[in-house]
Amino acid sequence: MIGSVQRAMRLLECVAAHEHGAPAKQLARETGLALPTAYHLLRTLVHEGYLRRDKGLFFLGEAAERLGDSGATQKRRSTVAGLLAQWRDAIGAPVYYAVYRGGEIEMLCVSDTPGNPAAEEWADFRETGHAHAIGQCLLAQLDDEARRDHLDRYPVQSLTPYTVHDDRTLLRRLERLRRLGPVTERQEYALGVVCAAIPITLGATAAAMAISLPAHQSDRLLPAVQQLQAEIGRLTGSMGLSISI
């Protein structure tokens, strides 16, 4: 083990335990370090941005805070991935999670298995929201201005013979969609694939979860997405963790 690294990490942990900061002498005493050693390491950590010094007290610096934020994000990702895997196994279908953020459709997590593979992204999901259930579910949650802005940037295009053909038809469909009901599409994005999505309430952010199935299993689509909706309903509080991933 590299002793200087171990000592520096002990100092970081000690500073983190003092919300209102701590002086070098206290930190040296609590970590069992000689004061000259503690001073040297503290100056180095301040120089590198992991600590900051204010009126003789040491606090966590921006670099350490970035590490903490990254760790929290990874933990949230792991939590969401675990939930999706749990629902995937219970339903027997791949599960998708996406949000509409910054004017774009973001697919944040997909959980599938070799036996139940996810739909192949043969056309960019961000640009083809009009064709797949997740995109339609997200667009239905936007206000008119945001929805039209999206369609101006990503016009409706026919991907299969079943895809909606024009903006007007799509907008009428989006207006008819029940806010809390499932959105279904059958082979509009990809031939041989059917999909259903449900909206997720995450404050002002539009979010959705979805499943897909082979077209020959289309009779399973509604029961499966209703099961997903019930599973999410039991764990609504946990979904709040996902918004910042």
Side-chain angles (χ1 to χ4, degrees):
M1 298 295 103
I2 301 175
S4 59
V5 174
Q6 291 177 313
R7 290 188 288 272
M9 295 305 293
R10 291 211 305 272
L11 279 171
L12 279 173
E13 291 172 352
C14 191
V15 171
H18 293 279
E19 181 181 354
H20 303 292
K25 288 183 179 180
Q26 181 180 356
L27 294 170
R29 183 174 65 254
E30 292 182 3
T31 55
L33 298 176
L35 186 57
T37 300
Y39 269 126
H40 175 70
L41 290 172
L42 289 168
R43 284 197 300 268
T44 301
L45 290 168
V46 168
H47 180 269
E48 296 299 324
Y50 290 97
L51 295 180
R52 62 181 176 86
R53 187 177 184 182
D54 183 21
K55 298 179 182 179
L57 301 178
F58 290 89
F59 302 83
L60 291 180
E62 291 183 2
E65 290 171 355
R66 285 196 299 272
L67 284 177
D69 291 343
S70 177
T73 297
Q74 290 181 12
K75 183 176 181 179
R76 287 192 293 270
R77 282 187 185 276
S78 177
T79 298
V80 172
L83 287 172
L84 263 62
Q86 174 184 326
W87 296 332
R88 174 203 68 204
D89 294 342
I91 297 168
V95 181
Y96 309 75
Y97 175 51
V99 298
Y100 193 86
R101 188 161 51 191
E104 301 291 345
I105 294 171
E106 294 185 28
M107 189 70 70
L108 297 182
C109 192
V110 180
S111 184
D112 65 350
T113 64
N116 292 296
E120 180 183 355
E121 187 179 357
W122 74 274
D124 193 324
F125 281 142
R126 294 170 301 176
E127 300 177 7
T128 56
H130 64 282
H132 49 75
I134 273 198
Q136 293 177 27
C137 188
L138 293 173
L139 292 174
Q141 297 176 62
L142 305 181
D143 59 34
D144 289 341
E145 182 179 355
R147 196 179 298 158
R148 291 184 179 278
D149 172 72
H150 182 90
L151 294 177
D152 285 343
R153 289 180 289 115
Y154 301 118
V156 169
Q157 54 179 311
S158 293
L159 302 181
T160 78
Y162 304 97
T163 309
V164 64
H165 295 295
D166 57 75
D167 289 8
R168 183 177 299 178
T169 303
L170 175 66
L171 290 170
R172 282 202 301 266
R173 176 191 293 184
L174 296 178
E175 288 295 337
R176 288 196 303 267
L177 292 175
R178 291 184 302 160
R179 181 165 178 78
L180 297 178
V183 178
T184 62
E185 63 89 357
R186 299 172 188 271
Q187 305 189 80
E188 295 180 45
Y189 174 77
L191 291 175
V193 178
V194 296
C195 185
I198 52 176
I200 304 296
T201 302
L202 291 174
T205 300
M209 299 195 75
I211 60 169
S212 65
L213 291 167
H216 68 270
Q217 297 182 24
S218 60
D219 59 327
R220 289 186 54 215
L221 189 62
L222 278 177
V225 77
Q226 288 167 352
Q227 182 180 352
L228 175 63
Q229 193 167 28
E231 294 285 348
I232 292 171
R234 284 193 281 270
L235 287 170
T236 300
S238 299
M239 292 310 301
L241 298 170
S242 63
I243 189 60
S244 60
I245 71 173

